[in-house]
Amino acid sequence: MRIGAMTLTLAFAMGFAFLIVAGVPPVSDAGPCDDSDNDGICLDADTCSSVTDATNLDVDGDGYGNICDTDYNNDCNQNNADFAIFRPNFLLPSPDSNVDCDGSGTVNNADFACFRTGFLGQPGPTGVAAAVCGS
């Protein structure tokens, strides 16, 4: 049964019934947190606050998740210099993991689509206060 963002499942094991609740927003000590993209990661720790990405992968540690950071040289601009880093990794079985947008282990068309989306923009948005470009 689905109720809002929660899924309730009734499971039976060894004669007992268990209620399993999935999709519950994350809770901090202060209560539920802001998770506007519904990926289970509170905004202040979410490295890509506009895209649902439960992995929160940030290979280069700049505060921007791979899914919304194609600024591979960390100059706060996503441009031709970054494409020069992306291109030699395309279709490699063991690429530079920084250019693997979705963390699949292969740089392919999905990663190129991610690069195209961010091209000529800035990385982000992010909820991480220590992000290098300040957004």
Side-chain angles (χ1 to χ4, degrees), residues 9-133:
T9 305
L10 190 57
F12 297 93
M14 302 179 76
F16 294 95
F18 298 92
L19 182 62
I20 301 169
V21 180
V24 177
V27 177
S28 67
D29 292 338
C33 68
D34 180 8
D35 180 23
S36 57
D37 60 358
N38 296 314
D39 59 7
I41 300 166
C42 296
L43 179 61
D44 61 350
D46 197 339
T47 60
C48 189
S49 58
S50 65
V51 177
T52 300
D53 177 32
T55 67
N56 212 33
L57 183 65
D58 178 13
V59 171
D60 62 2
D62 64 355
Y64 300 96
N66 282 26
I67 199 84
C68 64
D69 178 12
T70 58
D71 175 24
Y72 308 129
N73 63 359
N74 290 327
D75 68 354
C76 298
N77 295 296
Q78 299 173 132
N79 53 32
N80 288 334
D82 301 298
F83 185 66
I85 296 168
F86 176 86
R87 190 178 61 231
N89 287 281
F90 190 67
L91 299 179
L92 285 182
S94 298
D96 174 350
S97 59
N98 190 39
V99 301
D100 186 6
C101 189
D102 58 6
S104 68
T106 303
V107 176
N108 55 27
N109 288 336
D111 302 293
F112 183 64
C114 180
F115 181 82
R116 256 191 352 250
T117 300
F119 191 66
L120 298 181
Q122 289 188 318
T126 182
V128 178
V132 294
C133 298

